[in-house]
């Protein structure tokens, strides 16, 4: 009879006499037994919170947990006489030791390598299990695994291609009669389930060049520890991810660093000690912008921080008075509710309930318009004409103007600053932009040849709602790519597009729109077949919406629930678990952008 059965039997005995007169000692003894059962149950429940054995299955990435509680998984030191494969497996399993700088993992290494090994250089995430096999060279073993993703030293995650494998080599030698790893690449290898437990996506916010909009830069950090605030500050001080460099700016001067490796948080206030000389050299305005940038990041990632205090040599710095406050970052810039669309071959507006003409805009049906676009101001309109090699713009009380010309142009896209963008779909890598509202004088378009788009048939080019990035959907040899690139500008003049970051997707999408500050909705249109709209995000798993037959166009406000599917004649809104018709005889409705 185990301890639990003994307790249950004693409790049943107590219950059988509970209505009989009893002494105080008997009553106290019963209460003690109840307390013991509660303790046993709590311990049993706690032991099942983090399974330490069993197979690792694939699961969706977890949403960030807004707390500062340490979460760790147990690691085991090497045992005497362990074989090389056992040493390798023990080392890999110890890759969860982020809370103590991987002290157990270092025990599997030779003393020299334990000092030089840099676990934070790379995190390789694998699925299910891995195989270890001896290599041709004596003492070398090859580790083969199913790669899911990798995270670089800055926290930027890159998904692996579907069903891809990766091989790592390790060399082992004997140290005092025990096998130890003498050569291994920097970084850790971690199972997908453990990665989801220990790491979390955090949106760092940087400014657009006008210091108006907040641009999210998603990083995967050790988000389950009390050092999350420190990791966030260090990541911001290191600057934006490669695909955003040149497209966004930071209020923090280049080279500024923490004066110590800690950002304590007390009663909702984060005390950020920075290198004194650089901090004191900043202006009040710049400190206010630094505060807005960091506080926005904290509040979007941690609900425990409501205030930031900057320190120089442990002393607070002057942040100015109330008249020195700078504007808050505009995050997830909202789009106006009115969409532009086509009805009976002409431009119309749609406010969600009724379709109406555009005041002052003459009929353009003779130009065979398609893929209409509207500026954020609501004053400028653009559309593809005919077979799609020309883009016209039009304003109230003015005749349509031929604005851009090229081969197989993508649907026009307005940036928040009013510039109009499109890309050629002929594999030339040509992207063009123009300011159609330059005092009435339509200037010469800016032409950019983008190396990574050469040879790609571009189907979609959409500027983000902060004007710093673009969604690009391209295809070559039947393979679709969904990319986000940064827009590098000098003033308002576009100069180049940065090397992109890829978004993992299903199928072969060709059409897409922004659905938020870090999410996009994509699909492969079809006039006759069922179509699935997929919402992709840098921070959370893809969401596939209910399929709908004959979807040829889509538009999006903010979020999954504001994604609209459009057939040849019907405009649908997502109503939970089904699509609901909101309008008929409406084609290609589009929000600003």
């Amino acid at each position: 009879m185990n301890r639990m059965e003994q307790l249950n039997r004693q409790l049943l005995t107590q219950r059988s006499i509970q209505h009989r007169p009893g002494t105080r000692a008997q009553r106290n003894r019963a209460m003690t037994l109840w307390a013991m059962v509660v303790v046993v149950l709590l311990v049993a429940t706690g032991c099942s919170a983090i399974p330490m054995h069993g197979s690792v299955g694939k699961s969706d990435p977890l949403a960030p947990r807004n707390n500062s509680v340490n979460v760790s998984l147990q690691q085991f030191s090497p045992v005497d006489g362990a074989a090389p494969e056992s040493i390798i497996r023990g080392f890999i399993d110890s890759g969860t030791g982020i809370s103590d700088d991987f002290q157990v993992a270092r025990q599997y290494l030779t003393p020299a390598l334990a000092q030089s090994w840099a676990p934070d250089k790379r995190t390789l995430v694998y699925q299910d299990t891995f195989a270890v096999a001896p290599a041709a060279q004596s003492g070398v073993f090859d580790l083969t695994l199913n790669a899911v993703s990798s995270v670089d030293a800055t926290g930027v995650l890159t998904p692996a291609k579907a069903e891809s494998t990766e091989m790592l080599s390790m060399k082992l030698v004997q140290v005092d009669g025990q096998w130890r790893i003498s050569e291994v690449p920097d970084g850790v290898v971690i199972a997908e389930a453990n990665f989801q437990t220990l790491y979390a996506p955090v949106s760092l916010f940087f400014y657009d060049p006008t210091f108006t909009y907040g641009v999210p830069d998603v990083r995967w950090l050790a988000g389950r520890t009390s050092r999350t605030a420190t990791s966030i500050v260090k990541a911001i001080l290191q600057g934006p991810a490669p695909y955003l460099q040149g497209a966004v700016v930071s209020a923090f001067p280049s080279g500024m660093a923490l004066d110590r490796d800690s950002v304590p948080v007390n009663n909702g206030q984060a005390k950020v000690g920075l290198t004194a000389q650089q901090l004191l050299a900043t202006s009040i305005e710049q400190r206010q912008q630094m505060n807005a940038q960091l506080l926005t990041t904290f509040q979007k990632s941690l609900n425990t921080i409501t205030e930031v205090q900057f320190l120089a040599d442990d002393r607070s710095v002057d942040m100015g008075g109330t008249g020195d406050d700078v504007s808050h970052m505009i995050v997830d810039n909202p789009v106006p509710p009115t969409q532009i669309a086509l009805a009976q071959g002409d431009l119309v507006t749609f406010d969600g309930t009724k379709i109406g003409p555009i005041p002052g805009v003459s009929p353009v049906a003779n130009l065979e318009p398609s893929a209409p676009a509207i500026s954020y101001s609501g004053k400028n309109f653009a559309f593809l004409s005919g077979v799609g090699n020309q883009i016209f713009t039009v304003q109230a009380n003015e005749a349509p103007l031929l604005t851009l010309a090229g081969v197989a142009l993508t649907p026009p896209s307005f940036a928040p600053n009013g510039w109009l963008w499109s890309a050629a779909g002929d594999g030339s890598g040509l992207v063009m932009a123009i300011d159609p509202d330059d005092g009435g004088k339509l200037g010469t378009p800016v032409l950019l040849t983008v190396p990574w788009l050469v040879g790609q048939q571009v189907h979609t080019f959409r500027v983000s709602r902060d004007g710093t990035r673009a969604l690009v959907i391209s295809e070559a040899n039947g393979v679709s790519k969904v990319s986000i690139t940064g827009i590098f500008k000098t003033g308002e003049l576009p100069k180049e597009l940065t090397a992109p970051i890829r978004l993992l997707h299903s199928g072969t999408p060709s059409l897409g729109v922004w659905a938020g500050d870090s999410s996009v909705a994509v699909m492969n249109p079809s006039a006759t077949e069922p179509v699935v709209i997929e919402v992709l995000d840098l921070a959370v798993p893809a969401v596939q919406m209910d399929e709908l037959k004959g979807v040829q166009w889509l538009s999006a406000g903010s979020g999954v629930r504001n994604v609209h599917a459009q057939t040849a004649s019907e405009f649908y809104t997502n109503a939970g678990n089904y699509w609901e018709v909101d309008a008929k005889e409406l084609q290609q409705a589009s929000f600003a952008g």
Side-chain angles (χ1 to χ4, degrees), residues 156-194:
V156 175
L157 182 145
T158 302
K161 294 181 179 179
E163 301 180 355
S164 64
T165 60
E166 185 153 345
M167 179 179 290
L168 302 175
S169 293
M170 302 184 188
K171 185 175 183 180
L172 281 78
V173 297
Q174 287 203 333
V175 177
D176 297 331
Q178 305 295 327
W179 287 106
R180 292 295 182 264
I181 300 170
S182 61
E183 294 181 17
V184 66
D186 284 333
V188 297
V189 179
I190 186 169
E192 184 181 23
N194 292 339

Side-chain angles (χ1 to χ4, degrees), residues 557-570:
S558 295
V560 176
R561 296 307 175 196
N562 204 4
V563 175
H564 305 279
Q566 302 171 47
T567 64
S569 60
E570 294 174 316

Side-chain angles (χ1 to χ4, degrees), residues 278-298:
Q278 287 181 300
L279 179 57
L280 295 175
T282 58
S283 65
I284 296 295
E285 180 183 25
Q286 188 172 6
R287 293 173 199 169
Q288 290 277 0
Q289 291 168 337
M290 290 162 54
N291 180 77
Q293 180 180 348
L294 187 53
L295 189 58
T296 298
T297 299
F298 278 147

Side-chain angles (χ1 to χ4, degrees), residues 59-66 71 192-202 220-221 223-224 538-541:
S59 59
D60 292 333
L62 301 176
R65 298 177 186 174
N66 293 325
V71 176
E192 184 181 23
N194 292 339
F195 176 76
Q196 294 163 5
T197 299
L198 296 172
Y199 289 77
V202 173
W220 286 79
L221 305 177
R224 311 289 193 254
L538 291 169
V540 296

Side-chain angles (χ1 to χ4, degrees), residues 24-25 91 113 191 198 223 247 324 365 376 391 403 409 479 503 552 592:
R24 177 176 298 177
F91 172 71
L113 184 58
L198 296 172
D324 297 311
Y376 286 81
I391 291 177
T403 305
L409 296 179
V479 178
L503 291 177
Q552 302 178 47

Side-chain angles (χ1 to χ4, degrees), residues 82-162:
E85 181 175 340
S86 177
I87 293 296
I88 292 173
R89 290 187 177 276
F91 172 71
I92 297 300
D93 291 342
S94 300
T96 60
I98 59 177
S99 60
D100 63 355
D101 192 28
F102 304 93
Q103 292 305 309
V104 174
R106 295 179 192 275
Q107 296 175 26
Y108 289 87
L109 309 178
T110 61
L113 184 58
Q115 294 294 323
S116 62
W117 176 63
D120 58 350
K121 286 292 181 67
R122 185 190 187 210
T123 301
L124 179 61
V125 184
Y126 71 91
Q127 183 182 16
D128 298 330
T129 186
F130 57 87
V132 179
Q137 183 180 351
S138 177
V140 177
F141 292 79
D142 290 331
L143 174 70
T144 305
L145 48 82
N146 297 320
V148 175
S149 60
S150 63
V151 180
D152 68 14
T154 67
V156 175
L157 182 145
T158 302
K161 294 181 179 179

Side-chain angles (χ1 to χ4, degrees), residues 491-578:
E492 297 293 342
L493 197 66
K495 288 294 186 181
E496 62 179 289
L497 301 181
T498 64
I501 189 170
R502 310 287 187 196
L503 291 177
L504 201 60
H505 61 85
S506 302
T508 56
S510 60
L511 190 65
V513 293
W514 288 91
D517 61 0
S518 64
S519 59
V520 297
V522 302
M523 70 173 196
N524 186 21
S526 174
T528 57
E529 298 298 321
V531 173
V532 174
I533 296 175
E534 190 172 31
V535 179
L536 312 177
D537 196 290
L538 291 169
V540 296
V543 174
Q544 291 190 344
M545 307 183 75
D546 295 333
E547 69 177 24
L548 186 64
K549 188 175 181 179
V551 179
Q552 302 178 47
W553 193 257
L554 80 165
S555 63
S558 295
V560 176
R561 296 307 175 196
N562 204 4
V563 175
H564 305 279
Q566 302 171 47
T567 64
S569 60
E570 294 174 316
F571 179 94
Y572 287 85
T573 295
N574 185 260
N577 295 325
Y578 63 94

Side-chain angles (χ1 to χ4, degrees), residues 7 13 55 79 90 115 147 169 178 192 207 212 245-246 259 358-359 361 364 378 435 437 492 517 533 586:
L7 290 172
T13 303
S55 61
V79 298
Q115 294 294 323
S169 293
Q178 305 295 327
E192 184 181 23
Y207 279 103
T212 303
Q245 290 176 6
D259 65 349
I358 303 176
V361 174
V364 295
D435 182 4
D437 191 18
E492 297 293 342
D517 61 0
I533 296 175
L586 190 74

